[in-house]
Each structure stands twice: as C-alpha cells, then as structure tokens.
Amino acid sequence: MTVLIENVRHHVEEEEKEWFPQVRSALGRNRLGELGEQLATAKPDAPATPPRAQRPRMTVTTSEPTTDLPEERRHDH
C-alpha cells in the first residue's frame, strides 16, 4: 500500500509541476476556464461509475449445415 501511495503522490506532483504549466501555457487561462465550465456543465450527466466491461458474444448463423463445427456448437441438431 505504501508503494501505491508514493506512486500516486509522485504522479500528482509531476502533473502539477510539469504538465499543468505546459497546458496552461499552450492553451491560456481563458481557454482553460472555458474547458472547466464545459466540464462542470457535463458532470451531472456523466456516469458515477465506469460501465462494466462485457465480453462480446460471437454467434454463428448460417442456412448451411454446420458440419464443420463440433457437435455441441451446431445449430442444426
């Protein structure tokens, strides 16, 4: 747990001291303010938690006999 905390602290420090000043310089304070307003407006509609990942299902549909598939996967039995 201590390693995780240190990694997060390092990441935050890096963002605050390196990345944020670069973004502020590139975009300017006015544009950052506009982005902040857009985020605040969108936040009530944003999901509170990320959606659960679902495994995609693969289905085979064919009008031809599926004799090349193993017996348990055939649709025509």
Side-chain angles (χ1 to χ4, degrees), residues 1-73:
M1 188 65 143
T2 303
V3 173
L4 175 62
I5 292 169
E6 281 304 312
N7 284 339
V8 170
R9 285 184 179 153
H10 173 74
H11 180 76
V12 168
E13 183 178 325
E14 185 178 48
E15 285 181 350
E16 290 176 346
K17 291 185 178 178
E18 296 175 26
W19 299 346
F20 289 175
Q22 291 175 9
V23 171
R24 189 178 301 115
S25 177
L27 296 180
R29 290 187 182 270
N30 290 339
R31 181 64 183 131
L32 284 177
E34 292 170 0
L35 289 173
E37 290 173 11
Q38 290 173 355
L39 287 171
T41 300
K43 186 175 180 177
D45 297 327
T49 58
R52 294 179 65 179
Q54 293 184 0
R55 250 176 90 195
R57 289 188 170 177
M58 189 170 144
T59 58
V60 177
T61 42
T62 179
S63 58
E64 299 295 317
T66 54
T67 56
D68 58 324
L69 293 175
E71 181 67 33
E72 63 274 4
R73 300 216 31 218

